[in-house]
Amino acid sequence: MTLTTCTHPKAASTPDGPAVGVRATARILAAARSGTTTLPVLDGDGPFELRRLHSHGTQARVCIVGAMSAPLGGDRLRIEATVQRGAALHVISAAATLALRGPTSGHATYDVHLTVGEHAQLHWLPKPLICAAGSDLRQTWTIDLAPTARLVLREEQILGRTGEPSGHVTTRLTVRRGGRTLLDQQAAYGPGEPGWDGPAVLAGHRATGQLLTLDPAFEEIIPDVQLLGDAPQDGQAVLTPLAGPATLVTAAAPDSLRLRRLLDTAQNTYRQPLTDLGPVRGRDVGPPRADCRPTRA
C-alpha cells in the first residue's frame, strides 16, 4: 500500500483553520443467495477502499485497501460488517495499518463493528496495526454473534517501527454471543501506561496479538490450555478456552515476523473443526488464498 496525505471531504474543520481529522465509515454486508454468498453492500469511505475478490466456494472475499494515510491524530474511523444468516465472508487487508501522529494533538479512533447471524461464518484476518512514535490511537472491536455463528478473528499490534519508540494505543475487544457477553477485555501500551513493557506484560517485546476462534463445536470439544513457543526471548503464546464455545490465543514476540509465526502455528494446530469453517448448510467451504486480486467487473 502506498501511503499518501490528502484531505477528505468529510474531514472535520476548526472554526479558524483547515481540516484536522477524517470522519469515515465503511460498510460490508454479506448475504446468502442461491447457494452462494453475495455482497449487496460494499461501501468504502475515506481511507478504506473495499475490493471484491474472487470467491472461494460459497465464501465471499473482501480486501481492505488503504486509500490514504490513516489513522492520524483526530481521525474518527469505523468499519461495519454484517454477515447475514447462512452467509460466509472472509476479510483481509492489503497491507499493515500505520497509525501516525496527526496535525492535532488529539487521539484517533478506529472502531470495528462485526455482526454474524445464524449459521453464518466470518474470517476477519487483517494485517498488523503499526503504532508509530508519537501516535495516539484508541481502537475498539465490538462483535455480536448469533448462537450458531462461527468466527475467526486475528488482531496484531506492532509497537513502533524499526529503531523507534512505541506510539500509544488502547484496544478493547467486546464479544457477545446470543446477547450475552462472552469476552470483554482492554489493553493499553506505550508512553504513559505503567508497566506495559515490563515482565508482567510484554517483557520488552514490541509485537503482540490475539487469535479468537468461536464455534459451537467447542461446546463438545474443549481444547486444553497450552503454551506455544520454546524460548521466551523469541516470543510465546498461550491458548486458553473461554467460558463459551471459543478459544483465545494471546501472543507476544520481539517482532511482527515471529508474532505471525506464533499465531499461524496456533491457527494450524487447532484448525479442525474450526478455522477451515467446515460446511455451510451442507456446502463445503475451505480456506481461501489470502491475496488481494480483485474480480473483473
Side-chain angles (χ1 to χ4, degrees):
M1 177 179 67
T2 301
L3 298 176
T4 58
T5 301
C6 57
T7 301
H8 189 272
K10 293 185 179 180
S13 299
T14 62
D16 302 315
V20 295
V22 171
R23 272 59 174 165
T25 300
R27 295 179 175 88
I28 304 170
L29 175 63
R33 298 284 188 274
S34 303
T36 190
T37 298
T38 62
L39 297 170
V41 176
L42 194 63
D43 293 337
D45 192 14
F48 303 120
E49 179 182 340
L50 304 179
R51 292 187 180 178
R52 187 191 313 260
L53 306 181
H54 293 286
S55 61
H56 183 88
T58 62
Q59 189 178 62
R61 300 169 60 222
V62 172
C63 182
I64 302 171
V65 180
M68 64 175 70
S69 182
L72 306 180
D75 287 353
R76 300 293 182 262
L77 308 179
R78 181 183 175 99
I79 299 179
E80 300 174 356
T82 300
V83 187
Q84 293 183 342
R85 182 183 182 93
L89 177 65
H90 185 107
V91 179
I92 60 175
S93 61
T97 298
L98 181 61
L100 295 167
R101 184 174 183 173
T104 171
S105 59
H107 66 273
T109 63
Y110 189 163
D111 302 319
V112 181
H113 287 245
L114 308 177
T115 304
V116 188
E118 295 283 359
H119 303 289
Q121 49 194 244
L122 172 64
H123 268 106
W124 193 274
L125 304 172
K127 287 186 167 60
L129 165 69
I130 302 172
C131 302
S135 63
D136 187 0
L137 179 66
R138 299 177 187 177
Q139 184 177 39
T140 64
W141 299 81
T142 305
I143 304 171
D144 287 289
L145 303 158
T148 56
R150 297 190 234 177
L151 171 74
V152 179
L153 170 75
R154 184 179 64 219
E155 66 158 341
E156 302 168 67
Q157 290 100 28
I158 311 302
L159 304 174
R161 293 172 291 191
T162 301
E164 74 174 14
S166 173
H168 180 267
V169 59
T170 63
T171 178
R172 182 170 183 176
L173 172 61
T174 304
V175 183
R176 293 183 289 264
R177 178 177 182 257
R180 301 183 63 180
T181 300
L182 177 69
L183 177 68
D184 191 353
Q185 67 174 26
Q186 181 169 310
Y189 309 108
E193 298 297 338
W196 70 273
D197 58 350
V201 186
L202 293 183
H205 291 319
R206 287 294 182 269
T208 181
Q210 299 184 110
L211 179 69
L212 174 66
T213 306
L214 185 141
D215 193 296
F218 274 145
E219 293 177 333
E220 299 179 1
I221 305 171
I222 304 175
D224 295 326
V225 175
Q226 183 171 344
L227 181 67
L228 305 173
D230 298 324
Q233 65 270 20
D234 294 328
Q236 289 183 316
V238 61
L239 179 141
T240 306
L242 300 180
T247 62
L248 181 66
V249 177
T250 304
D255 53 50
S256 60
L257 178 60
R258 280 176 278 193
L259 175 67
R260 176 58 61 88
R261 286 174 179 169
L262 284 168
L263 295 178
D264 284 348
T265 297
Q267 186 169 355
N268 292 333
T269 300
Y270 298 96
R271 193 173 194 84
Q272 295 291 342
L274 302 163
T275 56
D276 69 3
L277 293 184
V280 183
R281 294 185 175 181
R283 301 184 296 273
D284 183 39
V285 180
R289 294 189 304 172
D291 57 32
C292 270
R293 289 175 291 182
T295 58
R296 294 182 179 179

